[in-house]
Amino acid sequence: MIKREHWGSRLGFILAAAGSAVGLGNIWKFPYMAGENGGGAFLLIYLALVFTIGLSVMLAEMVIGRMTAKNAIGAFAKLKGGAWPLVGLCGVAAAFIILSFYSVVAGWTISYMVKSITGALAIEDPAALGSVFGGFISDPVSPLIYHAIFMALTVFVVLAGVGSGIERASKILMPALFALLLILIVRSVTLPGAGEGIAFLLSPDFSKVTWATVSEALSQAFFSLSLGMGAMITYGSYLSKKENIASSAGWVTLLDTSVAVMAGLLILPAVFAFGFDPSAGPGLTFITLPAVFAHMPMGSVFAFMFFLLLGIAALTSAVSILEVVVAYFVDDRGISRKWASIVVGVIIFLLGIPSSLSLGIMGEFTIFGLGFFDLMDYISSKLLLPIGGLFISLFVGWVVWDKAKEDIAAHNGVVPGWINAWGIIVKFIAPLAIAFILLKGLGVL
Ligand code: PHE
Ligand code: NA
């Protein structure tokens, strides 16, 4: 048997895992979700969920991966078998579904990079930018070309392997992402009138909070931290026993959450400074923000930097989603990394076509009242990821607890003092809270 590849360094692993976590979820989704759900109140609920359930499931996934050195399905099969590999199988299914629409949105960011260079976004009126956006995403051809370009980039990185593809790309792209983010935040918070946006994000209004808000925050936490699907199982499987896995899990959680808050601080102050509506929904990034840039000196430069930032964030996340599927085919089906990446990439591209068309010519076609794009998003983020997280917690808490404890202590032989707190969360709190919030959110309870 060939020895499994390992990350070249601890920093390499943290950057790759943070690259997975930091994505469209932070920069595109989080600010508009906060905008629609009461600003600071949403932020507080989100933070509470992230640092209890999120952090615990993050560690659980990384441990499952490292204990087995296997992909998401193979890891459950190796540790226990029975019906457990189904958890991994649902994860692989979620990977196909999520990447299919994720890549469509990521394609928009490439198109918007081009548009910011050609001056097509230099329009001050949000309504006119709304027509630009609406016209673009409902076009039957152009978004598909960008979707194809983005999938090709993703395949290209995964195909090159864990060390020379994923880790190398993360080491270049993640520092670039942080630099761009800092430049843009400084620009945004120094705009006159930005204070209102900061206040909106930081001062909670609990009158807007319902169980639907809490369930939005929970799905957002899973999506943003790349949990519930086996992405962190897969990345953890390339981790050596020498690394401090708990501190790595902590870093990744902290980085992802900081970037979400920073994206809020980048987008909301600018939106308030120009008197736009913070609850503009998914269009906040593609409509309101370009209007904000158009009002600023050198706006097209900032617009380009912003969509580049968004594209980089999306690429390192998409890579981790594709890797979940590719690792399975390479480990358990004996297919070469090259062919697995290309074939799976093409299938996911095809699966994304109806999502893209559902925003235009296929708009009339709905299932359960949802267009194809929204249906894919709903099935994956609202159902598959939280349910996956529920079973991952139960598995670590009840099925492999002793081995998991050993794995946590592998780097220095010391079982940390917080281990029992983690145990209580994965055994009881996380599964019960996820089930309760899901049922409340669905209106069943
Ligand atoms: N975490 C990524 C984001 O925030 C998306 C993602 C979800 C990646 C699930 C991997 C697994 O954009
Ligand atoms: Na994220």
Side-chain angles (χ1 to χ4, degrees), residues 18 20-27 46 102 220 223-226 256 260 317:
S20 167
V22 174
L24 295 172
N26 309 54
I27 305 169
Y46 180 77
Y102 201 85
Q220 174 63 14
F223 186 85
S224 187
L225 295 168
S226 304
D256 184 65
S317 299

Side-chain angles (χ1 to χ4, degrees), residues 312-346:
I312 290 176
L315 181 61
T316 51
S317 299
V319 160
S320 75
I321 306 177
L322 183 59
E323 178 63 21
V324 168
V325 186
V326 167
Y328 167 68
F329 282 109
V330 172
D331 287 355
D332 290 5
R333 295 270 166 240
I335 298 174
S336 74
R337 172 167 286 275
K338 180 175 157 208
W339 280 108
S341 313
I342 294 174
V343 172
V344 174
V346 169

Side-chain angles (χ1 to χ4, degrees), residues 1-21:
M1 212 179 103
I2 317 165
K3 198 170 163 289
R4 195 180 191 72
E5 201 179 341
H6 279 166
W7 302 105
S9 67
R10 170 172 154 79
L11 182 69
F13 168 67
I14 292 178
L15 288 179
S20 167

